Amino acid sequence: MYTQGLDSLGKDCLRDETRDGAALESRFQARVDAEEKIEAKDWMPEAYRRTLIRQISQHAHSEVVGMLPEGNWITRAPSLKRKTILIAKVQDEGGHGAYLYSAAETLGVARAELVDQLLAGKAKYSSIFNYPTPTWADVGAIGWLVDGAAIMNQIPLCRCSYGPYARAMVRICKEESFHQRQGYEIMLTLARGTEAQRAMAQAALDRWWWPSLMMFGPTDTDSKHGAQSMRWKIKRFSNDELRQKFVDTTVPQADYLGLGVPDPELAWDEAAQHYRFGPIDWSEFERVLAGHGPCNRERMEARCKAHEEGRWVREAAAAWAAKRSAVAMQAA
Amino acid sequence: MNKEQDWPLYEIFIRAKSGLDHKHVGSVHATDAAMALEHARDLYTRRQEGVSIWAVRSADIVASDPAESDAFFEPARDKIYRHPTFYDIPDEVKTL
Ligand SMILES: [Fe+2]
Ligand SMILES: [Fe+2]
């Protein structure tokens, strides 16, 4: 997912105070503990509903905004093959946004309301998409690292306690593998290319490595509500566990490319069977999340512009449908 | 920014291949049925996941109430004799 544990940064969770609520809540928790799925119309605690709406909508927004950094390269892809692949990939991301808005709506929120929140700058989306894509290698690095980190986050979400979210995630995960592989293949091609191409690949890895690690969200000690999400089985692994898993699988992939991970402290810990890595600059993370990343403003402007420029199409479609149903009514 | 209303919601069901049932996959917003089918095709069958799509206005679906499901499904609960395992048949008797 692209939500990077943002759910944990939101409002505190409330408890139902009535005794009736307490009984319902303990029955709910028992169902969750028994690995039963919660479905849209089932009773659920208000805080569970709110947490899910926030997490799923932030995830949806991230997929949608995530189309922009890569969309930037569609017209300049180096070959027709790469161009068609990139279009398909970006289209998938739009689709992921749609699956997720659809899942969020089952919780009783209107899609238009969620989109309005995004466009008004009131909703969060993953900080990773506020970084620029100055070269073609960035497209490769995004597929390899950003989609790779997303996969790491998303696979456990396929077992999330909320049925509609879990099912959307199954659909998404099936499509993500292509994203990561096409990205790695771009990196591989560049790494085996000329000196300039190899340098371009290395520079992209340098740019995307740390932001990718930040995608997993704050460290466990700073993640306030991670425990509640775990109890509700919305989350299955902590941010740090997933981040470690990502580092462990990705470093050998970088080695294969012959590229260097931009972390002087990175070292294999034989005893622990893990890579140890250096400290993450959380002030950068907070800065980007607060709206001061390299491209926050550009992304929101692009999103708002697309929404406004599509308005006449939506209005025309609605007018056409209204006219047709009026004609049908008359004929009946 | 003036508020826009969502288009009507349609639930989408897809038959993965002939011989299988249609299965619920999610929903789309559309102004009419034809647009619902096109959106569903673009959203849910980008990799040939289906050979047939049903779109149903979400508002037209009638559903049982999960809060009442204990009482609603109660009539079947004590009728275990509807299952083949209810009957004791000696092992010697074959293909029964
Ligand atoms: Fe995605
Ligand atoms: Fe992706």
Side-chain angles (χ1 to χ4, degrees):
Chain A
M1 69 171 170
Y2 298 131
T3 53
Q4 62 186 187
L6 289 175
D7 54 298
S8 59
L9 301 173
K11 285 251 164 58
D12 209 332
C13 304
L14 294 176
R15 291 195 154 268
D16 284 274
E17 270 149 25
T18 64
R19 193 167 314 204
D20 216 25
L24 284 167
E25 192 158 338
S26 72
R27 200 178 320 150
F28 169 85
Q29 188 61 48
R31 290 187 63 197
V32 170
D33 291 343
E35 298 288 337
E36 257 183 66
K37 293 288 181 221
I38 306 303
E39 294 295 342
K41 296 284 173 351
D42 294 350
W43 187 90
M44 62 186 81
E46 257 323 288
Y48 177 82
R49 182 189 303 277
R50 277 202 311 275
T51 299
L52 278 171
I53 290 176
R54 191 171 56 236
Q55 175 166 334
I56 299 171
S57 62
Q58 284 172 354
H59 193 166
H61 299 330
S62 302
E63 301 282 356
V64 169
V65 177
M67 290 191 279
L68 296 169
E70 290 175 291
N72 179 35
W73 278 91
I74 288 177
T75 56
R76 294 174 292 155
S79 68
L80 185 59
K81 175 188 145 193
R82 293 292 181 197
K83 181 171 176 160
T84 50
I85 291 170
L86 186 56
I87 290 173
K89 201 257 187 198
V90 170
Q91 193 186 7
D92 275 355
E93 305 301 3
H96 296 176
Y99 301 153
L100 288 162
Y101 284 128
S102 166
E105 284 179 291
T106 64
L107 292 157
V109 63
R111 187 177 309 207
E113 191 184 326
L114 299 175
V115 171
D116 279 348
Q117 286 170 5
L118 173 68
L119 298 178
K122 286 187 228 149
K124 291 202 169 73
Y125 59 87
S126 180
S127 59
I128 194 79
F129 301 117
N130 291 313
Y131 290 87
T133 45
T135 71
W136 172 249
D138 292 282
V139 174
I142 288 181
W144 171 35
L145 300 173
V146 176
D147 289 86
I151 290 170
M152 219 48 108
N153 259 327
Q154 286 169 338
I155 285 174
L157 282 173
C158 296
R159 294 190 294 127
C160 164
S161 60
Y162 187 57
Y165 191 25
R167 293 192 289 273
M169 292 319 305
V170 169
R171 198 168 289 284
I172 288 174
C173 284
K174 275 187 193 155
E175 300 181 353
E176 288 292 358
S177 177
F178 140 59
H179 298 177
Q180 193 187 21
R181 289 171 68 105
Q182 65 85 36
Y184 192 77
E185 198 196 68
I186 290 172
M187 294 301 274
L188 196 57
T189 308
L190 292 171
R192 288 173 175 168
T194 64
E195 196 51 55
Q197 287 172 323
R198 227 180 350 266
M200 191 194 279
Q202 179 63 57
L205 171 55
D206 292 347
R207 275 193 287 280
W208 292 93
W209 177 254
W210 290 106
S212 296
L213 295 196
M214 292 176 199
M215 280 179 71
F216 295 92
T219 57
D220 296 344
T221 44
D222 295 337
S223 179
K224 280 175 281 179
H225 306 298
Q228 180 58 275
S229 280
M230 292 269 214
R231 224 165 69 82
W232 280 332
K233 296 193 195 288
I234 294 173
K235 221 173 145 77
R236 299 269 177 177
F237 298 98
S238 76
N239 297 350
D240 287 335
E241 282 174 303
L242 291 168
R243 187 167 13 245
Q244 183 65 55
K245 217 169 150 195
F246 176 74
V247 172
D248 289 343
T249 55
T250 310
V251 170
Q253 295 166 355
D255 290 345
Y256 186 82
L257 293 173
L259 300 178
V261 172
D263 178 358
E265 293 181 42
L266 187 78
W268 175 248
D269 181 340
E270 183 63 38
Q273 292 289 300
H274 286 302
Y275 282 96
R276 296 289 165 222
F277 52 96
I280 291 170
D281 179 2
W282 290 114
S283 66
E284 174 181 326
F285 175 72
E286 298 294 341
R287 212 161 49 240
V288 177
L289 214 53
H292 309 299
C295 300
N296 295 58
R297 186 193 296 211
E298 191 184 325
R299 299 289 181 245
M300 286 317 298
E301 277 172 6
R303 210 42 245 144
C304 290
K305 183 164 173 274
H307 190 76
E308 282 311 312
E309 288 179 353
R311 186 183 293 279
W312 71 270
V313 179
R314 296 192 297 276
E315 284 172 356
W320 170 245
K323 186 174 162 189
R324 287 232 307 192
S325 73
V327 170
M329 292 264 263
Q330 260 177 5
Chain B
M1 193 169 16
N2 55 334
K3 284 240 183 291
E4 273 185 62
Q5 290 276 309
D6 279 321
W7 291 336
L9 193 64
Y10 288 79
E11 298 301 321
I12 303 303
F13 301 80
I14 289 185
R15 186 199 295 285
K17 56 181 184 188
S18 60
L20 297 179
D21 297 323
H22 283 77
K23 196 175 150 200
H24 183 248
V25 293
S27 61
V28 299
H29 287 280
T31 54
D32 59 25
M35 190 198 277
L37 286 176
E38 285 175 3
H39 282 181
R41 175 200 59 196
D42 294 346
L43 190 57
Y44 293 107
T45 64
R46 287 197 299 284
R47 290 173 178 78
Q48 300 181 289
E49 290 95 336
V51 294
S52 161
I53 300 175
W54 287 350
V56 185
R57 281 282 291 264
S58 307
D60 291 340
I61 288 184
V62 182
S64 63
D65 180 358
E68 302 294 322
S69 63
D70 277 357
F72 190 72
F73 293 107
E74 198 280 331
R77 194 174 305 143
D78 57 356
K79 297 179 180 58
I80 48 172
Y81 47 83
R82 284 178 171 166
H83 297 278
T85 47
F86 180 75
Y87 302 92
D88 283 329
I89 306 291
D91 287 348
E92 299 79 49
V93 186
K94 298 298 177 200
T95 61
L96 195 74

